Amino acid sequence: HRINRGLNRVVRDDELFDRHDPGRATLQADLARIGLGEFMGALQALPDGRLLGIALHRPWGDPDTFDRQSEHRLAALAPHLRQACELGQQLLSARTEMQRQQQHADMLRCALIACDEQGRVQWMNHSALMLTGAERGLSSRGGQLRATGPGLSARLHEGIAAAAHDEGRSVHYAVIDHGHGALHIALRASSVEAQGAPQGARSVMLAVTSAQDLVDVPADIWAKLLGLTLAEARLVAALAQGDTVELHAAQRGIALGTARNQLKMALAKTGTSRQADLVRVALSSAAAQVLG
């Protein structure tokens, strides 16, 4: 009931306590022991259901009192303090949500890079940081996305600019062949203009994959997703990494006929008729898109 009495208004002890309420004397004695005297305060309700309390006290023994002008100043100040608290909570919530989304994006095997139309990097996920850090065809030195060699960099920046100015927001494609396996890039502009950028400027997201990257999904995951025995799943895991049936048999120390029978069973259980189709099913699985 005291909270209701003090909500969204300036109150003193006379408004909070009933006459002859023993709680008032007890509270004032406790406050006096830490040097706090006369009280005036306000209580503001926050959107999340919490309450923001503002308590002003004069020093114990101070003969002066809170006058009407002090009350008006507190009444004017309280809403601003509430707004400041709300903004702080909004900023904290936004930062927490950004961190959560970053963690989700970091689980993806595909490298994701956001940049402006000049190729200046705005954000990367973990796979992109690993890719550019090792300079496997792309780098981000000085905050600028670059390809290996000035010619490839120029083509990359032309592709980024074209995607940024595409009003239809179509997906654009590019390839970076740096001599150690090509990087395939899909580019698409955001529908929202980049904050602080010139009118019409949009951020561009690049999704980058490399055929050289192995899909190292554990065999027990393939067994669960594809309905295979563990032995059959080990064969699928090997095929997904580019091995042949013959190489898998040799590495596992099993007969070639046994490995071929495992392939036959895996094809039947996955509804595929060719080894290539089985690999396609595996590589299109969610397990192949998420880092372990």
Side-chain angles (χ1 to χ4, degrees):
H1 71 281
R2 292 196 185 112
I3 288 177
N4 291 332
R5 290 179 179 183
L7 193 59
N8 297 323
R9 58 189 290 253
V10 175
V11 294
R12 305 169 189 253
D13 285 338
D14 290 339
E15 286 86 25
L16 292 182
F17 291 91
D18 296 326
R19 183 176 296 184
H20 308 305
D21 186 339
R24 176 174 181 173
T26 301
L27 175 61
Q28 289 177 335
D30 290 340
L31 291 172
R33 278 193 287 271
I34 58 175
L36 298 180
E38 182 190 0
F39 159 81
M40 181 175 68
L43 200 62
Q44 302 282 311
L46 299 176
D48 61 3
R50 294 182 302 156
L51 298 172
L52 173 65
I54 306 164
L56 304 181
H57 289 273
R58 288 195 172 279
W60 175 252
D62 187 347
D64 292 332
T65 184
F66 289 117
D67 55 19
R68 187 66 65 179
Q69 182 180 5
S70 299
E71 183 176 330
H72 290 329
R73 291 179 66 184
L74 178 57
L77 179 64
H80 296 289
L81 291 175
R82 184 192 70 236
Q83 291 172 359
C85 187
E86 291 174 5
L87 287 173
Q89 288 301 311
Q90 290 172 9
L91 290 172
L92 178 61
S93 297
R95 183 163 58 247
T96 302
E97 182 60 26
M98 288 178 63
Q99 292 172 344
R100 184 181 297 113
Q101 298 299 337
Q102 176 74 53
Q103 292 173 352
H104 291 325
D106 284 343
M107 292 189 294
L108 297 179
R109 192 179 302 278
C110 176
L112 299 176
I113 305 171
C115 61
D116 64 14
E117 61 183 85
Q118 282 81 37
R120 292 187 290 263
V121 175
Q122 300 167 327
W123 171 86
M124 291 186 182
N125 70 346
H126 176 74
S127 294
L129 288 171
M130 298 299 292
L131 176 69
T132 56
E135 297 195 5
R136 294 166 46 205
L138 289 177
S139 65
S140 59
R141 286 172 293 179
Q144 187 82 17
L145 190 63
R146 294 183 175 89
T148 305
L152 290 177
S153 287
R155 286 169 50 191
L156 175 63
H157 290 163
E158 289 173 2
I160 293 173
H165 292 95
D166 185 346
E167 293 298 329
R169 296 180 55 246
S170 301
V171 181
H172 295 238
Y173 298 94
V175 60
I176 301 296
D177 191 348
H178 55 102
H180 301 286
L183 297 177
H184 290 179
I185 306 175
L187 310 91
R188 189 178 187 184
S190 167
S191 60
V192 180
E193 294 184 1
Q195 187 174 7
Q199 184 72 22
R202 291 187 175 93
S203 176
V204 177
M205 178 66 75
L206 288 74
V208 187
T209 60
S210 172
Q212 301 302 111
D213 291 338
L214 298 178
V215 179
D216 53 347
V217 178
D220 60 328
I221 302 299
W222 290 131
K224 180 177 181 179
L225 292 177
L226 302 180
L228 307 176
T229 66
L230 191 57
E232 294 160 357
R234 290 194 187 100
L235 173 61
V236 171
L239 297 177
Q241 293 197 30
D243 291 346
T244 63
V245 176
E246 291 78 11
L247 180 59
H248 173 70
Q251 290 177 340
R252 297 293 301 175
I254 60 177
L256 180 56
T258 300
R260 286 175 173 167
N261 186 60
Q262 291 171 354
L263 174 60
K264 181 179 179 181
M265 295 300 297
L267 291 172
K269 291 178 180 180
T270 56
T272 55
S273 57
R274 298 180 303 163
Q275 179 177 321
D277 293 332
L278 176 61
V279 173
R280 174 182 55 78
V281 168
L283 294 183
S284 63
S285 168
Q289 315 306 322
V290 179
L291 293 172

